[in-house]
């Protein structure tokens, strides 16, 4: 039987999950998604406020910016803002010549910063009241003896 080897290498500390994924080639889609999200946040302020809340940068495909909107009305309005978007994209270093707008069946996803205004686990006031009432009812109920005791 061989003896266990002494610790030839120092014990490694676990990496945070995001660091582990980003260090590997598998992190490329995640890096691209983060890059697109950062671009989206840079480009949207150049749009009229009502339009900025109704569209989302979906992709940069060569010289094309691809945006998603949630209805044909916003599609038309974004087409009218195409020159503004191209100028804004060029000002941050992209070599963009065209904006492609696609209408999505569902509304584009909102930024986590917008969705989590009240925290990631926020509940409505009605849900909070219902849970509080249920807890109070459980605390007021008399304890019953267990069967088989």
């Amino acid at each position: 039987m061989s003896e266990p080897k002494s610790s030839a290498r120092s014990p490694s500390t676990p990496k945070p999950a995001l660091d582990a994924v980003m260090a590997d080639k598998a992190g490329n889609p995640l890096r691209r998604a983060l890059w697109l999200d950062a671009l989206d946040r840079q480009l949207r302020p150049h749009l009229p406020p009502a339009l900025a809340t109704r569209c989302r940068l979906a992709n940069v495909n060569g010289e094309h910016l691809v945006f998603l909107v949630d209805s044909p009305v916003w599609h038309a309005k974004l087409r009218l803002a195409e020159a503004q978007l191209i100028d804004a994209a060029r000002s941050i270093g992209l070599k963009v010549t065209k904006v492609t707008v696609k209408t999505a069946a569902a509304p584009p996803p909102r930024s986590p910063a917008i969705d989590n205004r009240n925290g990631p686990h926020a509940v409505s006031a009605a849900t909070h009241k219902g849970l509080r009432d249920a807890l109070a009812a459980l605390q007021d109920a008399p304890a019953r003896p267990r069967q088989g005791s």
Side-chain angles (χ1 to χ4, degrees), residues 14-35:
K15 287 185 188 179
L18 185 59
D19 292 342
V21 169
M22 296 294 274
D24 194 2
K25 193 174 186 178
N28 288 343
L30 185 56
R31 275 190 285 280
R32 178 146 177 96
L34 291 171
W35 176 72

Side-chain angles (χ1 to χ4, degrees), residues 21-57:
V21 169
M22 296 294 274
D24 194 2
K25 193 174 186 178
N28 288 343
L30 185 56
R31 275 190 285 280
R32 178 146 177 96
L34 291 171
W35 176 72
L36 286 171
D37 186 56
L39 282 176
D40 181 55
R41 282 181 278 148
Q42 287 179 304
L43 294 174
R44 273 205 256 178
H46 296 279
L47 295 170
L51 182 56
T53 62
R54 301 304 221 141
C55 68
R56 178 138 177 97
L57 179 67

Side-chain angles (χ1 to χ4, degrees), residues 5-6 14 22 24 34 64 115 123 134 143 145:
K5 293 183 180 178
S6 64
M22 296 294 274
D24 194 2
L34 291 171
H64 299 181
D115 290 341
V123 295

Side-chain angles (χ1 to χ4, degrees), residues 93-131:
L94 296 174
K95 295 179 176 142
V96 175
T97 60
K98 183 179 176 186
V99 174
T100 300
V101 182
K102 296 185 177 187
T103 303
R110 300 203 42 143
S111 167
I114 294 169
D115 290 341
N116 291 334
R117 280 178 271 175
N118 298 322
H121 304 290
V123 295
S124 69
T127 302
H128 186 71
K129 182 184 180 313
L131 290 171

Side-chain angles (χ1 to χ4, degrees), residues 131-143:
L131 290 171
R132 191 179 28 210
D133 292 346
L135 181 61
L138 288 173
Q139 290 173 343
D140 292 342

Side-chain angles (χ1 to χ4, degrees), residues 38 68 78 92 112 121 130:
L68 289 178
L78 189 58
I92 58 173
H121 304 290

